[in-house]
Amino acid sequence: VQLQASGGGLVQAGGSLKLSCAASGIAKSIDDMAWYRQAPGKQRDLVAGITKGGNTNYADSVKGRFTISRDNAKHTIYLQMNSLKPEDTAVYYCHAKGITMALGALDAWGQGTQVTVSS
């Protein structure tokens, strides 16, 4: 399974962006999916996650501003980011967990998309 993230860019503080991450390839199932972000010199942190059933969780720093959603038919997740702040600047990565056709563990990362918020 490959993950292709898109939608990053440069935006002014207070603006909005919507990220997309599409999964391609064959897997027995794709279960939990999530967005992580990594700022320069910092560790990669969870931003938001969503289960196959639609249950979501968010980092405290983005609650009320970001919304994660999922289209299981398209094997795609989205991250709507509103009221962006300069501290949201980072490379955003999507992640998927599931089961491979060989019944092994699926643990896949996308290539990352840069989000830059100017003050």
Side-chain angles (χ1 to χ4, degrees):
V1 171
Q2 293 80 42
L3 302 178
Q4 181 69 42
S6 61
L10 173 64
V11 65
Q12 288 187 333
S16 299
L17 282 175
K18 186 173 184 177
L19 306 183
S20 300
C21 175
S24 61
I26 300 174
K28 185 169 181 63
S29 69
I30 297 176
D31 301 322
D32 297 347
M33 298 186 75
W35 288 98
Y36 286 75
R37 67 186 180 187
Q38 187 168 20
K42 296 189 176 181
Q43 67 182 20
R44 189 174 298 185
D45 292 324
L46 177 69
V47 175
I50 186 166
T51 67
K52 194 172 185 177
N55 293 319
T56 59
N57 64 289
Y58 296 91
D60 287 344
S61 60
V62 307
K63 283 181 181 177
R65 299 188 298 122
F66 290 10
T67 302
I68 189 170
S69 60
R70 178 169 182 162
D71 184 335
N72 287 328
K74 295 182 178 179
H75 305 298
T76 299
I77 60 169
Y78 306 93
L79 187 68
Q80 177 66 48
M81 305 185 293
N82 298 328
S83 302
L84 282 161
K85 304 175 181 180
E87 50 263 43
D88 295 317
T89 295
V91 178
Y92 284 69
Y93 298 89
C94 55
H95 179 252
K97 289 184 178 179
I99 302 173
T100 67
M101 291 302 292
L103 302 182
L106 170 67
D107 191 321
W109 288 94
Q111 85 285 7
T113 184
Q114 176 71 45
V115 172
T116 303
V117 184
S118 63
S119 57

